[in-house]
Amino acid sequence: MGRRIVTAAGLGLVLLLTSCGPSDDSGDARHAARHRASSLPAARPVPAGYGSRTAGDFNGDGHPDLVLDRLLAPAGGRDDDPGIGIVYGSAHGLAPAARELLTPARNATPTGRAVPAAFDAEAVCDLDRDGFSDLVVTTDPPYDGVGRPPVPVQLLFGSPQGLGTARAVRLRIPDRARFGNEWPDQPVCGDFDGDGAADLAVTASGPRISYLRGPFTRAGAPAAAGAPLAVPGTALAAPGPLAPSSDVDHDGADDLLVRSDAPGRRARARLALGGPRGPLRAGPAASPPGYATVFGSFTGAGRGVTSVTADTGGLLSVGGRPGTIRTGTGGVPTLAAGDTDHDGHPDLVVGGTRPALLRGTAHGLSATVRRLPAPRLPGPGRPHSTVLALTDLDGDHRADLVLLTRRGRTHDRVTVWPGTPSGLAARPALSFTTADFRAP
């Protein structure tokens, strides 16, 4: 297995995304407008699987699933966190009837009698190597401000019945792997030592991380954890759970993208290079300032892997050079790479108020911008579209696009745009609002 870069790609299925990634919302985005009828079909049981190596496959049936975080609350709902939505996959793509709603009351582990008020999806990987992907979430355990805060990260383990049948367990971070008194935050999955097991990295105080080697036990304990590692930044850039891995120098260890500011803010970033002892070595010089970075073969066939960084207005910098491609997407950009037409060259989708597609060619990334139609939502101005995933959902070897389009606190729409021999389809194959997400 070659070195892969763990980087921002938009929960994705950005599903870590945070699942829905940064947006231009003006508020909490957990309220909803009234709907006359649900946009989702009647729920049915999650199809049972036997385990697979497919990324983001919680029920082990060989098909990737979608995580939806920061759902709009149902009409008339309270201000509490409405939970995390899971849409399960099938041989024909996402199947919205096969879905679950994970809530703090039903699926989080309480601290004493305190049920978490927050329940946010952060990362997806198979932590215990059983063939069922697992979901890493963050919560808000009680803390009196004295001494070292508790670990807010919990793990939901996949199973043939999916994620919703059990409660999460707390991630166990040994004291020797912690530093300072900041909350462990921004969990990122990756095989940072190249041994084939998924590891976790979480922030510690200062430019350090707690590096937890996998595999993990069902009690939430890592196989090993040493002293915190120094890294070139204070924030980790989590990938979308179905983001493609990128091989840089074929050393078999994932690399970690580390930022100088929190994800969703404009910042420089550079790599912490993985190796037998984890992501210890600083990688190439910092990338240009921007909001999101993705890696792929963007400079032409046979020229290796390079980065694309999106700055204000979707200005793209390729290979670390100052931005030269103007996409005019507007808003805080998200990025995802995938081969939408199965021609062997990765295409790039840029999210924003005017989302766009740039085609990959044998000579590198095209500068020609194809504007993607965003769903219409009630209200003035342009809504913001976040890239949740750009990956093959239906097994035809063409990447499909999942967008979350949102306006403020009251309206959103998830759309799935299939890949075709000529690129992304002109119309979405699936469309629904997260406000209609219901437990089976």
Side-chain angles (χ1 to χ4, degrees), residues 55-251:
D57 180 13
F58 300 117
N59 60 331
D61 65 352
H63 309 298
D65 309 317
L66 174 67
V67 175
L68 294 167
D69 204 3
R70 296 174 65 219
L71 306 175
L72 294 182
R78 300 180 300 172
D79 291 344
D80 295 343
D81 190 332
I84 301 167
I86 308 295
V87 180
Y88 288 87
S90 74
H92 305 290
L94 294 177
R99 64 183 186 272
E100 292 180 315
L101 180 62
L102 312 177
T103 67
R106 189 166 53 244
N107 299 104
T109 292
T111 300
R113 295 183 178 181
V115 175
F119 199 52
D120 300 315
E122 301 287 353
V124 174
C125 50
D126 185 358
L127 293 169
D128 57 353
R129 303 185 73 175
D130 66 349
F132 300 89
S133 294
D134 311 309
L135 181 64
V136 183
V137 300
T138 52
T139 63
D140 57 345
Y143 174 51
D144 61 8
V146 178
R148 181 167 284 174
V151 176
V153 182
Q154 298 190 9
L155 311 177
L156 270 167
F157 287 97
S159 74
Q161 292 75 42
L163 292 172
T165 58
R167 285 192 180 273
V169 301
R170 296 185 188 89
L171 174 65
R172 298 187 180 184
I173 303 180
D175 285 343
R176 63 180 176 275
R178 299 192 65 179
F179 179 82
N181 288 330
E182 293 185 13
W183 293 86
D185 197 10
Q186 301 169 35
V188 176
C189 290
D191 180 12
F192 301 115
D193 56 9
D195 67 351
D199 311 313
L200 280 177
V202 299
T203 56
S205 297
R208 292 175 174 82
I209 62 169
S210 298
Y211 166 52
L212 310 174
R213 294 177 184 264
F216 289 72
T217 70
R218 283 292 181 120
L229 304 182
V231 291
T234 57
L236 309 183
L242 301 186
S245 298
S246 300
D247 185 359
V248 173
D249 66 353
H250 306 281
D251 78 338

Side-chain angles (χ1 to χ4, degrees), residues 117-418:
F119 199 52
D120 300 315
E122 301 287 353
V124 174
C125 50
D126 185 358
L127 293 169
D128 57 353
R129 303 185 73 175
D130 66 349
F132 300 89
S133 294
D134 311 309
L135 181 64
V136 183
V137 300
T138 52
T139 63
D140 57 345
Y143 174 51
D144 61 8
V146 178
R148 181 167 284 174
V151 176
V153 182
Q154 298 190 9
L155 311 177
L156 270 167
F157 287 97
S159 74
Q161 292 75 42
L163 292 172
T165 58
R167 285 192 180 273
V169 301
R170 296 185 188 89
L171 174 65
R172 298 187 180 184
I173 303 180
D175 285 343
R176 63 180 176 275
R178 299 192 65 179
F179 179 82
N181 288 330
E182 293 185 13
W183 293 86
D185 197 10
Q186 301 169 35
V188 176
C189 290
D191 180 12
F192 301 115
D193 56 9
D195 67 351
D199 311 313
L200 280 177
V202 299
T203 56
S205 297
R208 292 175 174 82
I209 62 169
S210 298
Y211 166 52
L212 310 174
R213 294 177 184 264
F216 289 72
T217 70
R218 283 292 181 120
L229 304 182
V231 291
T234 57
L236 309 183
L242 301 186
S245 298
S246 300
D247 185 359
V248 173
D249 66 353
H250 306 281
D251 78 338
D254 288 349
D255 304 322
L256 180 66
L257 190 68
V258 183
R259 295 168 51 87
S260 59
D261 204 344
R265 296 179 179 271
R266 187 176 186 269
R268 289 187 177 274
R270 67 183 305 169
L271 293 175
L273 300 179
R277 295 187 296 158
L280 278 173
R281 298 177 295 125
S287 61
Y291 290 92
T293 299
V294 70
F295 288 79
S297 301
F298 293 117
T299 55
R303 297 183 183 178
V305 172
T306 191
S307 65
V308 173
T309 298
D311 201 353
T312 306
L315 178 66
L316 302 182
S317 301
V318 181
R321 296 184 295 274
T324 57
I325 301 177
R326 299 186 179 276
T327 65
T329 47
V332 176
T334 49
L335 293 176
D339 188 355
T340 64
D341 54 5
H342 192 42
D343 67 353
H345 309 296
D347 309 310
L348 183 74
V349 171
V350 187
T353 55
R354 302 173 69 222
L357 169 72
L358 286 79
R359 298 287 296 273
T361 75
H363 305 289
L365 189 66
S366 170
T368 301
V369 176
R370 173 190 164 188
R371 197 66 59 197
L372 298 176
R376 294 175 179 251
L377 296 177
R382 294 181 181 273
H384 187 277
S385 294
T386 298
V387 184
L388 295 188
L390 186 60
T391 194
D392 182 12
L393 297 173
D394 55 12
D396 66 354
H397 305 291
R398 300 182 180 94
D400 310 304
L401 172 66
V402 183
L403 284 181
L404 171 67
T405 303
R406 174 162 286 170
R407 184 189 303 285
R409 304 179 180 185
T410 57
H411 298 88
D412 73 7
R413 181 68 53 175
V414 176
T415 49
V416 181
W417 307 77

